[in-house]
Amino acid sequence: NRAIAAHQLNKSSSRSHTIFTLSVELRGRGGGGDGDGAMLTSKLNLVDLAGSERLSKTKSAGTVAKEAQHINKSLSFLEQVIIALGEKNREHIPYRSSKLTHMLKDSLGGNCKTIMIANVWAEPVHLEETLSTCNFARRMMRVQQEPSKNVSEDPAALVRKLHREIAELKQELAAHDAFAENKGGARKYEAYSAAQRADLRPMVLRFLQ
C-alpha cells in the first residue's frame, strides 16, 4: 500500500516509508517429540525510505506539505539513532523516538546485517541534498554489527520437558516417602523361611561369581 503523490520535482513521490518484514522460523525435528525443540529465528526487513524534501524546492502545499514535514521528522529521528549507534560506550539509544526507529530496532545495529542503498540526484542544483544523503550513509557505515544465530527453545517443547521433569520429581518424592516410612518402622518384613533361603542361595552365588 505504497502512497505516492506529485510535486514539482517528482510526479511519483513516496509519501510514506514502506517496510516489508519476512519472519522465518526453523524448528528442529525434535520439536514435536522428545527432542530439545531448538528453534532458529530470523527476520528480513526490506525498507523503502521516503526521501527528505525541501518545501522551497518542491513547492508542496496542503496535505503533501504536511506529509513532507512528517517524513523529514521521522528521518531526523532515524539519523539520531544511527549517530547514537555509531558512538562508543553510548548507553541510551532513542529507538522509541518514532514508529520507524522502533520497528527497525533489530535491524540497525548489533545482531543483524544492514545494507543501505543511497539514491542521489545527479544535477548540480541538488548538490546540498546529495551531500546530506552521503553523510547519512557515512554515519550508517560507522554502526557496529555482530550478527549471530538467534536460537531459542520451542515453547511447546519446553512445556513437554517441564511436564516430564515434574513427573520424574513426583516419582522421586514417592520413593523418598516410601523409604522414610520403612526406615521409621511403619513396615516390617518377615524373615525368609528355610525353603526361601535355599532357593535364593544359588542365585546369590551366581551373582557373587
Side-chain angles (χ1 to χ4, degrees):
N1 297 328
R2 182 168 173 265
I4 61 174
H7 55 66
Q8 187 168 330
L9 298 180
N10 191 347
K11 294 182 179 180
S12 301
S13 174
S14 298
R15 308 319 301 159
S16 63
H17 308 304
T18 303
I19 301 176
F20 178 80
T21 302
L22 177 64
S23 297
V24 180
E25 292 184 358
L26 177 62
R27 301 172 185 266
R29 292 181 179 272
D34 295 333
D36 56 0
M39 181 171 60
L40 181 65
T41 59
S42 182
K43 180 187 293 185
L44 173 65
N45 284 324
L46 301 177
V47 186
D48 179 18
L49 295 175
S52 60
E53 298 179 0
R54 293 179 180 272
L55 296 181
S56 59
K57 291 186 176 182
T58 61
K59 307 299 181 181
S60 301
T63 302
V64 178
K66 291 182 179 179
E67 291 172 346
Q69 293 175 357
H70 290 300
I71 291 172
N72 293 340
K73 186 176 181 180
S74 64
L75 290 175
S76 177
F77 287 138
L78 177 60
E79 187 173 18
Q80 291 175 15
V81 169
I82 292 176
I83 292 175
L85 288 170
E87 296 178 355
K88 294 182 178 180
N89 302 323
R90 180 69 178 264
E91 295 183 356
H92 174 67
I93 307 298
Y95 287 115
R96 294 185 177 274
S97 298
S98 67
K99 292 182 179 179
L100 176 65
T101 54
H102 183 65
M103 292 182 65
L104 298 180
K105 179 179 179 180
D106 54 358
S107 299
L108 292 175
N111 184 16
C112 67
K113 288 185 177 180
T114 304
I115 299 176
M116 178 180 176
I117 301 175
N119 297 320
V120 298
W121 290 85
E123 291 80 358
V125 67
H126 300 300
L127 178 61
E128 186 176 355
E129 287 78 5
T130 298
L131 291 176
S132 178
T133 301
C134 291
N135 287 330
F136 184 85
R138 179 174 55 85
R139 295 188 183 98
M140 187 66 216
M141 290 176 61
R142 295 180 178 176
V143 177
Q144 299 294 325
Q145 299 174 346
E146 298 178 358
S148 61
K149 292 184 178 180
N150 300 314
V151 181
S152 59
E153 191 167 6
D154 183 6
L158 178 60
V159 171
R160 291 192 295 269
K161 179 181 178 181
L162 293 175
H163 280 310
R164 289 195 300 269
E165 292 181 355
I166 291 173
E168 293 173 358
L169 290 173
K170 287 182 177 180
Q171 291 178 356
E172 291 181 4
L173 288 174
H176 179 271
D177 293 340
F179 178 76
E181 290 180 359
N182 296 337
K183 187 176 181 181
R187 181 181 299 178
K188 295 182 180 179
Y189 297 96
E190 297 180 356
Y192 288 114
S193 63
Q196 290 173 329
R197 286 197 298 270
D199 294 336
L200 290 173
R201 181 178 178 82
M203 289 188 290
V204 173
L205 292 176
R206 283 198 303 270
F207 176 77
L208 294 176
Q209 292 174 357

